[in-house]
Amino acid sequence: MRAPSTIFFLTATILIVPGGQLYRFMTAIVEKNRGDTVLYGLQALHIAFGIAVGMSVAWAICDFCRKIRRNIKKESDMKRIKSYLDDRKKEIIKVSSVAAGASIALAILEAIEGLIVGSVSMIIDGLSHVTEAGNAVITALGTYLAGKPATKKHPFGFGRIEYISALVIALLVIDSGIAGLVEGIKDILNPGHPHITVLAMAIVAISMVTRIVVGRHDIHTGKHHNSRALQQVGKTEVKHAILSAATLLSAVVYLLFHVYIGGYIATLVSASIVWGGIVMLKDMFSSLLGEHVNEQIAQDVKKTIMQEEYVDGVFDLILHNYGPDSYTGSVHIAVQDSMTIDELDRLTRHITDRVKKEHDVSLTGVGIYSVNEHDEFVVSTRQKIADIALANEFVQQIHGFYLNQEEKDIRFDVVVSYTLENRNALREEILEKLKKEYPEYSFKIVVETDFGMLTEKK
């Protein structure tokens, strides 16, 4: 059974409308009681504001889910990829904007209430919403700028701006954590006596639930659209929900035992936020420096190339990341040495077009390894040389093998482990062994690193 979401929203809202506060507010106006008028008016306004924020977030989530279901059914091949990139940009900006709006609203609400009741932990909790709002705005702005088309000065586009925005978010998280630490320590040295009210606790509870819902939604959307910045925003919101929970706990302890622990809790939670920011910073530096190619993308590209009739092997796939889901690279393929230049040209062009269409990966070059393993002597020699090379613990594979019997020439590549420190020494060691086994041959050995998983071979 399907029905408009408005029906469920309205029926659920009826139960939480602040009717009591509105009745007392109107009564106070009639009785000309200014004190009660302000008190009950603010209470009604706070609750109504919380309901509005909650409904806005829930509506945004429902709308997002509907669009995702619709797009999954309609999109296909290249149209699907282009549509996905457009939707990715729109959804990240939309979700970030909703998160920023909710954070600003809660920041104002909690900060005002914290000042009224005199709770430092509540004020810090409110101010942390400002950081979340800033993070969301930076994410939206970074995603917008990352979608700009390539220029002469930046021919690979602006995709890496998203990484920079995530880096800025990590710095803001650390800054907010340090600010919280300072205020928490001050509160420990000079503890106050807050006036805790049920309304204040309700506001903090709404803040905590909103952070969890919005944060988990941001993390899910960030993973779906491969946006590290949005994931960082979501993780920050979830971590700050711990701050709200801690603030709530300190209020409960104060009401039950008349012991104020807000400063200690604010200090501990702020320290955890600083540590989380440092971890984010480390992850972002790793992305900017360049990480190992995504395993799934590498395997998918290689399998696609291996489906070509004349390709006997796929090697040396190198992919450069210029932002989320934006890859440019090169690859080597093994083909029989009997192919003509015209056939090779048509094959490499077809591979480039197909990989772009199916995976949105731009191959700027397709190198060639010629294969002549139709001769028994060549096959047996290759096996012996492979055994000699692979006897070394650092050698993972050999490929690109070619033996020219007329010119007495053998060439091949050796893939080695990242832990190998001296490549020249390994090359000389293999060369010395091969010279003893095949003194009449000359060798050309290229030592290389495994950039993108090992080979695909028929």
Side-chain angles (χ1 to χ4, degrees), residues 93-144:
I93 293 175
K94 178 181 177 181
V95 171
S96 299
S97 301
V98 171
S103 296
I104 291 172
L106 289 170
I108 296 171
L109 201 61
E110 278 201 75
I112 293 173
E113 196 64 32
L115 290 171
I116 293 173
V117 303
S119 172
V120 172
S121 59
M122 191 170 182
I123 295 172
I124 292 173
D125 190 31
L127 292 177
S128 65
H129 282 293
V130 178
T131 302
E132 292 169 13
N135 294 346
V137 170
I138 291 170
T139 299
L141 183 62
T143 303
Y144 173 77

Side-chain angles (χ1 to χ4, degrees), residues 127-198:
L127 292 177
S128 65
H129 282 293
V130 178
T131 302
E132 292 169 13
N135 294 346
V137 170
I138 291 170
T139 299
L141 183 62
T143 303
Y144 173 77
L145 293 175
K148 290 175 62 179
T151 63
K152 184 177 181 180
K153 188 175 182 179
H154 302 283
F156 297 103
F158 297 84
R160 285 184 177 173
I161 287 180
E162 287 197 35
Y163 295 152
I164 297 173
S165 64
L167 188 67
V168 173
I169 289 171
L171 292 172
L172 286 175
V173 169
I174 293 173
D175 181 67
S176 68
I178 293 173
L181 270 173
V182 172
E183 294 301 322
I185 293 172
K186 285 182 180 179
D187 201 38
I188 292 173
L189 298 175
N190 300 290
H193 299 283
H195 175 63
I196 305 298
T197 64
V198 175

Side-chain angles (χ1 to χ4, degrees), residues 213-233:
V213 172
V214 175
R216 289 181 65 85
H217 178 239
D218 288 352
I219 293 171
H220 173 75
T221 306
K223 287 181 179 178
H224 180 76
H225 293 293
N226 195 20
S227 171
R228 287 200 177 185
L230 191 57
Q231 291 181 57
Q232 300 286 43
V233 171

Side-chain angles (χ1 to χ4, degrees), residues 227-397:
S227 171
R228 287 200 177 185
L230 191 57
Q231 291 181 57
Q232 300 286 43
V233 171
K235 289 176 183 177
T236 302
E237 288 163 345
V238 172
K239 287 178 181 177
H240 282 179
I242 300 173
L243 178 58
S244 298
T247 303
L248 200 60
L249 176 63
S250 68
V252 172
V253 170
Y254 185 78
L255 288 175
L256 294 177
F257 306 105
H258 300 289
V259 177
Y260 182 59
I261 60 171
Y264 295 96
I265 288 180
T267 300
L268 289 173
V269 174
S270 297
S272 70
I273 290 173
V274 171
W275 175 250
I278 292 172
V279 172
M280 291 181 191
L281 199 62
K282 180 181 176 183
D283 290 343
M284 286 307 99
F285 272 123
S286 178
S287 298
L288 289 171
L289 287 173
E291 298 176 330
H292 197 277
V293 63
N294 182 284
E295 179 179 349
Q296 189 59 52
I297 293 176
Q299 294 293 356
D300 290 345
V301 170
K302 287 179 178 180
K303 286 178 181 177
T304 297
I305 298 174
M306 283 302 300
Q307 292 172 4
E308 296 297 322
E309 180 181 358
Y310 299 106
V311 175
D312 292 331
V314 181
F315 311 93
D316 308 331
L317 176 63
I318 300 176
L319 296 180
H320 305 285
N321 186 298
Y322 289 94
D325 300 322
S326 178
Y327 291 95
T328 300
S330 60
V331 70
H332 274 87
I333 60 173
V335 298
Q336 293 297 321
D337 61 356
S338 56
M339 290 189 71
T340 65
I341 296 295
D342 177 61
E343 290 172 334
L344 285 174
D345 181 62
R346 281 186 282 131
L347 175 62
T348 55
R349 288 176 186 273
H350 178 68
I351 289 172
T352 302
D353 292 341
R354 184 176 176 185
V355 170
K356 179 62 177 178
K357 180 180 179 180
E358 296 185 12
H359 306 289
D360 198 30
V361 172
S362 300
L363 293 178
T364 57
V366 180
I368 303 297
Y369 286 135
S370 56
V371 176
N372 64 340
E373 296 185 3
H374 44 268
D375 184 279
E376 289 187 7
F377 174 72
V378 173
V379 173
S380 61
T381 303
R382 185 193 186 285
Q383 187 58 52
K384 286 182 181 179
I385 290 177
D387 292 340
I388 292 172
L390 292 170
N392 188 294
E393 61 178 323
F394 294 105
V395 176
Q396 297 179 336
Q397 183 191 77

